[in-house]
Amino acid sequence: MNSPATTVTASSVTPPGEVFNFAQHLLDCNSRRADKLAFIDDQGELTYGQLDERVRRLAASLRSMGIKREERVLLLMQDSNDWPVSFLGAMYAGLVPVAVNTMLTADDYAYMLEHSRAQAALVSGTLLPVLLAAMVKSDHEIQKVIVSRPVAPRRPDEIEFEDFLRSNPPATKPASTRADDPGFWLYSSGSTGRPKGTVHSHANPYWTSELYGKGVLALQESDICFSAAKLFFAYGLGNALTFPMSVGATSILMAERATPDAAFKRWRGQVGGVKPTVFYGAPTGFSGMLAAPNLPASSEVALRLVSSAGEALPAELGEQFKRHFGIDIIDGIGSTEMLHIFMSNLPGKVRYGTTGWPVPGYAVELRGDDGKPVPDGEPGDLYINGPSAAMMYWGNREKTCDTFRGVWIKSGDKYMHNSDGSYTYGGRSDDMLKISGIYVSPFEVEATLIQHPSVLEAAVIGVPDAQGLIKTKAFVVIKDGAQATDAELKAFVKDKLAPYKYPRQIVFVSDLPKTATGKIQRFKLRELENETR
């Protein structure tokens, strides 16, 4: 039978006090490191001392506008040294930064402005045009737009970021927020509807930093961290801001898209003059890197730790990376609702093909449709209990009630429990296929397909046959210069999996639809199938 919920106490972690401001906490953690580099972006460096002053200046300037406690401030910025100043400055002032995806449309931002009722916006100059277009579409008016480099403000309600900082002396003390007060929002990806405004408390990033950043990754002050996931993602926020700052490490921030070439430049120390010791990526990115012609040799990099999340890591990718670099990829699963990773493989204890074990301080259960635990080896819905759970979806009672089940959160993922206590990913709950009365995981078939030397990526969905029975159909991307046939790939899967799991149809495509985080959007493939039938 499925083991009972893993009960772990984080007794070694001192809970935050009732009065707790997370921004002040991070500044206090680094008060003795004034000259230490905190962030390196494409334009320059920011020490912890400079960060402290700029955070407090931004807080004072936001307060001077008359923005009240817990009112929202939109944060639409590419990764740069101004991003942590903006995020922490708003929290220091007792305001609530709403960090949003930089790759959305004016319609998306118009919705977010109205939904969050943001009183001001902090925006990268390159993103100012799309924000202005959103403001035209939105019925909600904001007081001020603070524009970060490199584009200069042009309207009366716009002010340049540096001028805004200089407009007030640094605040002398933070807002007296409580640990359970709203600290910031992150919007969900919105792949099945409007994005959901996920509300996190001041205490939540403290818990993820203590339990995962320190407890699992064991980050050190000497580390130089580099995350492919951007700061507006829950994964990237921990990777490049809250985790490194909690130990006094340095982070490399990159505004451009995380292509293999862009990542390799930083791995080789060609940007900022330093080489990262810790890299955080996602399986899609690792796949592209390992297939890239300019993949660095292990002797060219300084990596000691590599993390993966965002989607399950196929075993073949992890093993291929280990063969090349001699370093394991530590794969885990997190979510916007839990803020960061709550189940993970461990440094020195990696079982490829699984998501590892619950992070100490978190408990998990696998439940069937009846809400009861499922037997070992059978897929069940993943539920999580932990101290970093979000408070709610803002203004969405129905979705809040469906996801937040008392102390438990329903993740929307299917998992199976293994005899060694680890867990194996089965796919999103709405992606699971039932063939001949047996559940089939699309991810399992995809992970098998990419073991073929010619396959770069694969996505599997269920389609009805002539009798209306569900069968598997695979969409496959072949590596540049490689070849493979339909029959060859079917035989390859048959040789490795139970016969009923092999894809009955295979379609070769040039690319797959993905979210901004690189997750495959199987629902778009299903929609395309429905349109063509």
Side-chain angles (χ1 to χ4, degrees):
M1 294 291 291
N2 176 40
S3 65
T6 307
T7 304
V8 183
T9 59
S11 57
S12 60
V13 178
T14 302
E18 184 179 358
V19 176
F20 180 76
N21 184 293
F22 182 68
Q24 178 63 44
H25 166 71
L26 289 184
L27 297 183
D28 286 346
C29 284
N30 298 287
S31 60
R32 61 181 177 82
R33 301 186 179 99
D35 296 329
K36 172 90 188 295
L37 280 182
F39 295 98
I40 302 171
D41 70 4
D42 301 333
Q43 307 299 321
E45 301 172 345
L46 188 67
T47 66
Y48 275 106
Q50 292 167 332
L51 175 67
D52 184 291
E53 180 184 1
R54 289 168 73 83
V55 164
R56 293 187 293 111
R57 280 188 177 275
L58 185 76
S61 298
L62 288 171
R63 285 174 179 170
S64 71
M65 294 172 55
I67 304 177
K68 299 179 178 63
R69 283 272 299 269
E70 297 187 13
E71 288 186 321
R72 272 73 64 192
V73 176
L74 192 78
L75 178 50
L76 174 58
M77 302 178 78
Q78 293 172 327
D79 282 20
S80 72
N81 291 344
D82 289 343
W83 205 106
V85 171
S86 301
F87 183 81
L88 296 175
M91 292 185 74
Y92 190 96
L95 310 181
V96 179
V98 179
V100 298
N101 190 328
T102 58
M103 296 175 275
L104 303 180
T105 66
D107 286 339
D108 293 318
Y109 299 133
Y111 167 76
M112 291 172 178
L113 285 171
E114 293 181 359
H115 183 247
S116 68
R117 298 191 286 278
Q119 298 300 301
L122 296 124
V123 59
S124 293
T126 52
L127 298 170
L128 181 58
V130 70
L131 176 63
L132 295 179
M135 291 168 62
V136 171
K137 293 172 177 284
S138 171
D139 292 331
H140 174 71
E141 294 185 5
I142 60 178
Q143 298 182 40
K144 188 73 72 176
V145 177
I146 299 101
V147 185
S148 176
R149 57 192 172 183
V151 177
R154 294 185 177 88
R155 297 171 15 147
D157 60 348
E158 298 170 13
I159 183 171
E160 202 273 331
F161 193 86
E162 293 299 324
D163 290 341
F164 189 65
L165 289 184
R166 287 192 292 266
S167 64
N168 284 275
T172 57
K173 63 178 183 178
S176 183
T177 52
R178 294 179 178 270
D180 287 339
D181 281 352
F184 60 96
W185 291 16
L186 300 172
Y187 274 97
S188 67
S189 61
S191 59
T192 58
R194 283 291 195 185
K196 299 182 288 293
T198 310
V199 183
H200 280 284
S201 71
H202 275 263
N204 286 0
Y206 171 84
W207 285 113
T208 58
S209 298
E210 295 295 318
L211 297 177
Y212 189 73
K214 295 179 182 179
V216 172
L217 298 182
L219 292 182
Q220 304 165 13
E221 182 180 357
S222 57
D223 277 321
I224 298 172
C225 301
F226 173 43
S227 174
K230 301 300 184 182
L231 285 164
F232 59 77
F233 294 125
Y235 182 45
L237 180 64
N239 298 343
L241 197 160
T242 64
F243 294 178
M245 285 194 68
S246 71
V247 298
T250 300
S251 286
I252 298 172
L253 301 180
M254 178 178 72
E256 66 183 298
R257 192 166 62 89
T259 63
D261 282 346
F264 295 160
K265 284 180 184 177
R266 286 151 181 89
W267 285 13
R268 290 185 168 109
Q270 296 169 344
V271 178
V274 296
K275 294 182 179 182
T277 60
V278 179
F279 177 70
Y280 308 87
T284 298
F286 288 122
S287 176
M289 289 175 179
L290 290 169
N294 61 335
L295 179 69
S298 60
S299 60
E300 295 181 82
V301 304
L303 297 173
R304 72 166 188 85
L305 180 67
V306 177
S307 165
S308 178
E311 56 185 335
L313 179 75
E316 174 62 23
L317 278 182
E319 291 162 354
Q320 187 179 350
F321 191 94
K322 175 70 177 289
R323 287 194 297 270
H324 184 84
F325 289 105
I327 306 167
D328 277 313
I329 297 178
I330 309 302
D331 184 37
I333 181 175
S335 68
T336 304
E337 291 77 10
M338 292 304 297
L339 188 56
H340 212 274
I341 291 172
F342 52 81
M343 187 157 63
S344 180
N345 282 272
L346 308 171
K349 186 181 180 182
V350 172
R351 181 182 171 189
Y352 285 124
T354 78
T355 312
W357 297 263
V359 170
Y362 293 85
V364 302
E365 283 186 355
L366 300 185
R367 303 178 187 174
D369 294 338
D370 58 2
K372 297 179 180 179
V374 299
D376 280 357
E378 290 190 13
D381 290 310
L382 178 66
Y383 286 74
I384 315 105
N385 176 0
S388 62
M391 303 169 74
M392 70 179 97
Y393 297 131
W394 184 266
N396 194 333
R397 182 174 176 80
E398 180 182 358
K399 290 290 186 182
T400 295
C401 291
D402 183 56
T403 299
F404 299 87
R405 311 284 184 94
V407 298
W408 295 91
I409 281 184
K410 183 180 180 181
S411 73
D413 297 293
K414 291 281 189 182
Y415 264 87
M416 289 177 287
H417 183 255
N418 304 311
S419 58
D420 64 354
S422 65
Y423 289 79
T424 299
Y425 180 66
R428 292 292 293 173
S429 297
D430 52 4
D431 287 334
M432 290 293 287
L433 308 174
K434 210 164 192 180
I435 298 175
S436 301
I438 305 172
Y439 273 118
V440 173
S441 163
F443 174 75
E444 183 184 21
V445 183
E446 294 162 3
T448 302
L449 280 166
I450 70 166
Q451 293 178 38
H452 191 282
S454 295
V455 175
L456 178 64
E457 294 180 319
V460 172
I461 63 172
V463 297
D465 63 12
Q467 288 75 43
L469 301 174
I470 297 298
K471 304 297 182 185
T472 48
K473 180 173 183 175
F475 296 80
V476 173
V477 180
I478 297 297
K479 294 177 181 176
D480 289 343
Q483 292 182 337
T485 66
D486 176 289
E488 179 184 352
L489 293 184
K490 288 178 178 176
F492 184 81
V493 176
K494 283 182 181 179
D495 185 55
K496 295 181 178 295
L497 297 179
Y500 65 88
K501 295 182 179 180
Y502 85 92
R504 301 315 198 268
Q505 301 178 54
I506 293 179
V507 178
F508 295 98
V509 296
S510 59
D511 55 32
L512 297 171
K514 298 186 182 74
T515 67
T517 58
K519 297 178 185 177
I520 294 171
Q521 294 175 306
R522 296 183 187 85
F523 77 94
K524 287 193 174 181
L525 296 173
R526 291 194 292 266
E527 288 174 353
L528 182 63
E529 280 295 306
N530 292 335
E531 290 172 3
T532 56
R533 282 207 301 271

